[in-house]
Amino acid sequence: IACHMTIKLSSSLSMNIRSLNTQLILVVILSTALSIGALIIYVNKSTSDMALTLQTRTMHNVADSTSRVLENYIHNLVSLTASLAEQNAFESALQSDYFRQDASRIITNFMSGYGDIWAVTLFDENGDVIVGFNAEDRDLTGMSLKDEPFMRRCVWTISPSLAPLSQSRRMVG
């Protein structure tokens, strides 16, 4: 009986060891698979986050650059407009029809040098175009701009040099 017991004990012990090996192997395989899965998920999420952050930063940089370019463009247009508005021929054209040819020549020369400008007009306080041309070299003289939306934003002041002439005004703004 003792011998038989030992065999049974030995057989039972052998069975448990085999079961333990199987369990250990399953635990190792499962933990390895979970670790690899977690690593894949982490790398995927990190890559997505990094790509999103990079794209967001790129979009902000493009928006900032575009904003600066547009600010410079507008600043240059304002400077061009101011220098064009300071021409004596324009003040003279507002005072007399005789000087309109000089203003017209200045505008056409100006338009030929700046192809991205749609139109240049000199208009009086009523919004009537005294001299003007568009990019297609169409004469805009006589056209009324008083109903145009941008005319509501114009601020009119009497120019100090033209103060004695109450009908001659210059647009500012």
Side-chain angles (χ1 to χ4, degrees), residues 9-162:
L9 190 61
S10 175
S11 167
S12 158
L13 183 62
S14 156
M15 194 64 148
N16 283 337
I17 291 174
R18 203 170 359 156
S19 222
L20 185 62
N21 280 338
T22 305
Q23 288 176 2
L24 286 175
I25 289 173
L26 286 176
V27 167
V28 168
I29 289 173
L30 183 63
S31 64
T32 304
L34 286 175
S35 298
I36 290 173
L39 187 61
I40 289 172
I41 290 171
Y42 171 76
V43 168
N44 189 21
K45 184 172 177 358
S46 296
T47 304
S48 297
D49 289 347
M50 185 175 64
L52 179 63
T53 302
L54 183 63
Q55 288 175 350
T56 303
R57 190 176 307 140
T58 302
M59 285 179 15
H60 284 292
N61 289 341
V62 167
D64 290 343
S65 297
T66 303
S67 176
R68 280 192 299 272
V69 166
L70 288 175
E71 284 175 9
N72 288 337
Y73 180 76
I74 289 170
H75 177 71
N76 289 340
L77 282 180
V78 167
S79 296
L80 283 172
T81 303
S83 68
L84 195 59
E86 294 297 321
Q87 299 291 324
N88 291 331
F90 290 157
E91 290 183 24
S92 300
L94 286 171
Q95 296 172 25
S96 169
D97 292 345
Y98 178 75
F99 296 104
R100 288 186 183 172
Q101 286 181 342
D102 291 338
S104 177
R105 182 178 38 77
I106 290 171
I107 289 175
T108 54
N109 287 341
F110 181 80
M111 293 293 290
S112 68
Y114 296 96
D116 58 339
I117 294 178
W118 185 80
V120 175
T121 58
L122 171 67
F123 49 89
D124 62 11
E125 65 187 11
N126 298 321
D128 295 325
V129 176
I130 305 298
V131 178
F133 291 93
N134 68 7
E136 298 168 351
D137 206 28
R138 183 174 150 229
D139 190 357
L140 304 175
T141 303
M143 179 185 220
S144 177
L145 301 175
K146 69 180 176 184
D147 294 329
E148 295 295 325
F150 67 87
M151 289 297 289
R152 289 183 272 242
R153 294 185 179 164
C154 292
V155 177
W156 297 95
T157 61
I158 297 176
S159 172
S161 63
L162 302 174

